[in-house]
Amino acid sequence: MVYAAKIIIFCILICSISFSHSGIIIITECGANGNYTSSSIYGKNLDTALANLYSAANTSNSGFYNASVGQDSDRVNTVALCRGDVQPDICRSCIKASIQYLRVQCTNQKEAVEWYYECMLRYSNSSLLNNLVTEPTKALVNRDTTSNQDQFNKDLRDLVEGLRGQATQRKFATGNISGPDFLTIYALMQCTPDLSSTQCGDCLDEAIREISTRCVGLGCHIMKPSCRLRYEYARFYNETTTINAPPPRPQLSPPPSVSLAAGKGDNKTPTLIVIVAVIVGFVILLLLLVCIIKRKRRKKTATGELLNEMEDVNSTESLQYDFGTVEVATNHFSDSNKIGEGGFGAVYKGTLQNGEEIAVKRLSTGSNQGQHEFKNEVILVAKLQHRNLVRLLGFCFKGTERLLIYEFVPNASLDHFIFDSVKRSFMDWEKRYKIIGGIARGLLYLHEDSRLRIIHRDLKASNVLLDAEMNPKIADFGMARLFNLDETQGFTNKIVGTYGYMAPEYALHGQFSARSDVFSFGILVLEILSGQKNHNFRNGENVEDLASFAWKNWREETASNILDPILKNNSASIREMMRCIHIGLLCVQENVTNRPTMASVMLMLNSFSLTLEVPSEPAFFIPSNIDPELPLHTKNFSSRASDKSSDYSIDRAPITDSYPR
């Protein structure tokens, strides 16, 4: 009974910690330097020391705390260190959770160390301050790889060697560097502030050396009692950018005042004539200048205006292609070269004179929407570089012709595979899981890691292209919206996108944010798992909404009913599939704030140790007696959505902690 009670208490603590905002536990190491009993003096001193440690964290924002209680062999020394980029409230929550968990995990050891992503906690009966300790060492590895791993490792060495000097002086440093395959490498180094610069440098040197022996892939987290080193290809720390304010504009001195009241006996008429003449002349000159400017603007052609709008693109490198070159490459846009068509226009395969294969998107003549999308894609996509985004090679315009030139992706789009009864059989779980992870990385880059914050607004299976190795590439940024770094949401009166993928707050009220893309991602995950479209999902003879069907089966513990029959034979990966269904349902929840961020989604996909929250009813939940083919605004939405139905226009034209696996 006592043992069972301990297990129950342990589970309750784990659950309370997992759902708090205190951070995510990584590794706990219970020492081998002797034991104690809970009723002993050491045990009581440990309770007091940890309580004093937490009290110090509540009264100071330093991020590094220590407390000691007792004498001789019963003396307990404790230290806690928060990562240098976390806020004080997160730091305190992390320390509190760490104290709770460590006492359960290491019940009677006299020393222990625990690493969270946001903080680290140690206690021992040995001295801790001003004492360099490099063991035990733990490492977590992100095993994703790049096609040019040697160059990645070289760039990584340059980054960590450059950060080492800052970290030894300030005891904390972060930075990034451009890597191969359009990746950005992010790194963080930290030492406990009690160490000298030499001690900190020695600890970090050991961590750097262990990269070659412990780390394989694109990410690694090396943890030591006195320091830590972590690098990833996605930003994992809070980056504060200081923007220098522009210099104050010079104040113009007011012109000397002219008195129109002359002294007695003065002649006012000549003075008035001069003043009126100057004013009239100035007004005439100003009007002439305005007329000249307007006339010059009228003479600008549509080509000139477009160049002016895209001058920030041309300022870095010329992306403009010659129209004749593209025309020859596509065999004069022949039907035999056409590989697709959407609301924007047709897409053609082409081959340049150097043998490079390209995909050319040709704007439909007279399409105002296409004109806007053309400018949007050139301005946005040219600045985005990531292996999970389709790469824009350039653009071309001549007269009314508008062309976008992309890298050619041989396997077309994802919908050609997962919704095709024959091709779907080639999509085993390993390929589908790889595609889900790649799409998540691409969205994370758009939302958080690119120079611009981009909301895609039209993520769907047909807008995910697959290269020769079946790596996914997010495409079609015609509907994308650019956010400032401090913006979190936007509003629009024109609802555009694709039925079945739009989040409820966007479809009903024109409100969009990164969580709107998360909703679309959740739908896409469920489609990849089931092999069927969200709005045309078939359950036997019945047609219903895929998200609703998935949620009902998950709630009834029959989630395997959702899976594509091809996947059910792979029992070895069923745990991953069930977890992906769970993640998809978290993404399609009706309440925006309940949906995870893409950073959280990446963590869920890569860490089986992380406990997932229970999803609530999905948005647009359709009871079985409702026809899913009804127009969106006439459906009887369940829950709060049933009170929010309204008419709106939809553009229905298609727009084009790591665990080992």
Side-chain angles (χ1 to χ4, degrees), residues 221-237:
H221 195 171
I222 298 174
M223 293 156 283
K224 294 176 174 292
S226 291
C227 67
R228 71 165 72 191
L229 183 158
R230 184 182 178 189
Y231 66 88
E232 299 283 351
Y233 65 89
R235 181 163 59 84
F236 56 91
Y237 52 79

Side-chain angles (χ1 to χ4, degrees), residues 64-81:
F64 180 63
Y65 311 99
N66 68 90
S68 298
V69 176
Q71 300 294 328
D72 301 327
S73 61
D74 290 322
R75 183 174 178 82
V76 178
N77 302 296
T78 64
V79 295
L81 173 66

Side-chain angles (χ1 to χ4, degrees), residues 601-612:
V601 169
M602 282 298 301
L603 188 59
M604 295 176 194
L605 289 171
N606 292 328
S607 177
F608 262 66
S609 62
L610 176 64
T611 303
L612 305 185

Side-chain angles (χ1 to χ4, degrees), residues 426-545:
F426 299 104
M427 296 287 287
D428 58 21
W429 174 242
E430 185 177 358
K431 289 188 179 71
R432 299 193 198 201
Y433 193 81
K434 177 182 179 180
I435 290 169
I436 290 172
I439 297 170
R441 283 193 295 270
L443 279 180
L444 176 62
Y445 173 81
L446 291 175
H447 292 174
E448 297 185 21
D449 295 330
S450 67
R451 290 183 294 168
L452 310 171
R453 178 172 291 172
I454 305 295
I455 310 301
H456 189 279
R457 294 205 302 168
D458 197 25
L459 182 68
K460 56 184 177 180
S462 61
N463 282 342
V464 176
L465 306 183
L466 302 174
D467 67 11
E469 287 75 37
M470 301 298 284
N471 293 305
K473 293 178 178 287
I474 300 173
D476 204 331
F477 289 80
M479 296 293 103
R481 290 291 291 268
L482 169 65
F483 273 15
N484 294 325
L485 292 178
D486 57 347
E487 286 184 299
T488 57
Q489 64 181 13
F491 296 88
T492 181
N493 292 323
K494 183 179 181 182
I495 310 299
V496 293
T498 305
Y499 172 80
Y501 292 87
M502 287 187 289
E505 69 277 3
Y506 177 56
L508 298 175
H509 306 295
Q511 178 183 332
F512 59 92
S513 65
R515 305 293 176 99
S516 308
D517 281 354
V518 171
F519 179 92
S520 303
F521 173 79
I523 295 295
L524 194 50
V525 168
L526 296 177
E527 288 184 336
I528 292 172
L529 285 155
S530 66
Q532 297 196 50
K533 295 181 180 179
N534 175 55
H535 62 279
N536 196 27
F537 176 76
R538 289 194 173 272
N539 176 27
E541 295 297 320
N542 299 322
V543 178
E544 59 181 303
D545 175 72

Side-chain angles (χ1 to χ4, degrees), residues 58-205:
N58 278 322
T59 57
S60 170
N61 294 334
S62 68
F64 180 63
Y65 311 99
N66 68 90
S68 298
V69 176
Q71 300 294 328
D72 301 327
S73 61
D74 290 322
R75 183 174 178 82
V76 178
N77 302 296
T78 64
V79 295
L81 173 66
C82 288
R83 218 171 63 197
D85 59 312
V86 301
Q87 297 297 318
D89 57 335
I90 297 177
C91 174
R92 283 187 283 270
S93 298
C94 186
I95 293 174
K96 179 180 180 181
S98 184
I99 291 172
Q100 293 173 338
Y101 186 82
L102 196 58
R103 293 305 308 278
V104 175
Q105 188 73 356
C106 302
T107 53
N108 62 348
Q109 284 81 8
K110 284 194 171 184
E111 65 178 12
V113 57
E114 182 174 82
W115 292 274
Y116 276 64
Y117 281 119
E118 291 87 359
C119 68
M120 180 270 293
L121 174 69
R122 292 174 62 196
Y123 68 78
S124 176
N125 58 344
S126 301
S127 176
L128 298 181
L129 294 179
N130 306 309
N131 184 20
L132 173 61
V133 180
T134 58
E135 295 298 334
T137 298
K138 301 294 181 179
L140 291 179
V141 180
N142 181 344
R143 297 184 183 273
D144 286 348
T145 58
T146 177
S147 59
N148 195 347
Q149 191 67 42
D150 290 341
Q151 183 61 45
F152 180 92
N153 294 338
K154 180 181 180 300
D155 295 332
L156 173 63
R157 283 195 299 272
D158 293 342
L159 175 59
V160 296
E161 288 172 2
L163 285 180
R164 180 191 177 279
Q166 300 178 41
T168 56
Q169 297 300 319
R170 300 168 53 194
K171 306 303 186 294
F172 178 80
T174 61
N176 64 79
I177 192 173
S178 296
D181 296 339
F182 308 112
L183 294 175
T184 300
I185 309 172
Y186 299 85
L188 177 149
M189 291 180 169
Q190 186 175 26
C191 296
T192 56
D194 57 302
L195 298 182
S196 67
S197 297
T198 301
Q199 289 174 315
C200 178
D202 291 343
C203 189
L204 293 176
D205 286 341

Side-chain angles (χ1 to χ4, degrees), residues 248-454:
R249 297 178 63 182
Q251 298 294 321
L252 298 178
S253 300
S257 60
V258 179
S259 174
L260 298 183
K264 185 178 180 180
D266 291 340
N267 189 351
K268 299 179 183 180
T269 302
T271 304
L272 288 173
I273 292 174
V274 170
I275 292 172
V276 171
V278 170
I279 294 175
V280 171
F282 178 77
V283 171
I284 293 173
L285 183 61
L286 184 61
L287 291 174
L288 287 173
L289 185 61
V290 170
C291 291
I292 291 171
I293 293 174
K294 285 186 176 181
R295 190 173 181 179
K296 285 185 177 181
R297 285 183 176 176
R298 291 193 193 102
K299 289 182 179 180
K300 282 188 177 181
T301 62
T303 299
E305 290 175 350
L306 185 57
L307 272 173
N308 185 55
E309 288 189 69
M310 298 187 299
E311 61 181 350
D312 56 337
V313 174
N314 291 329
S315 63
T316 56
E317 59 176 317
S318 177
L319 299 175
Q320 188 173 358
Y321 278 60
D322 176 70
F323 181 79
T325 301
V326 180
E327 193 175 29
V328 171
T330 58
N331 193 19
H332 299 275
F333 303 103
S334 65
D335 289 340
S336 61
N337 283 52
K338 185 183 292 188
I339 56 177
E341 191 158 4
F344 179 99
V347 181
Y348 299 85
K349 180 182 177 181
T351 305
L352 299 175
Q353 290 182 348
N354 62 3
E356 182 181 7
E357 292 183 321
I358 58 174
V360 180
K361 191 187 289 188
R362 189 184 193 188
L363 169 66
S364 300
T365 305
S367 170
N368 291 328
Q369 178 181 323
Q371 178 85 352
H372 170 75
E373 293 172 22
F374 175 80
K375 297 174 183 178
N376 205 41
E377 288 216 45
V378 171
I379 294 172
L380 292 183
V381 183
K383 297 181 179 180
L384 303 176
Q385 294 183 343
H386 191 273
R387 63 176 176 167
N388 294 119
L389 304 182
V390 68
R391 185 160 58 96
L392 178 72
L393 302 178
F395 62 91
C396 175
F397 51 89
K398 179 181 179 182
T400 59
E401 289 282 358
R402 300 288 182 269
L403 309 176
L404 290 169
I405 297 91
Y406 290 98
E407 62 174 322
F408 179 71
V409 184
N411 279 325
S413 54
L414 177 61
D415 60 330
H416 284 84
F417 285 85
I418 60 173
F419 301 144
D420 186 278
S421 58
V422 177
K423 293 181 180 179
R424 193 165 69 230
S425 61
F426 299 104
M427 296 287 287
D428 58 21
W429 174 242
E430 185 177 358
K431 289 188 179 71
R432 299 193 198 201
Y433 193 81
K434 177 182 179 180
I435 290 169
I436 290 172
I439 297 170
R441 283 193 295 270
L443 279 180
L444 176 62
Y445 173 81
L446 291 175
H447 292 174
E448 297 185 21
D449 295 330
S450 67
R451 290 183 294 168
L452 310 171
R453 178 172 291 172
I454 305 295

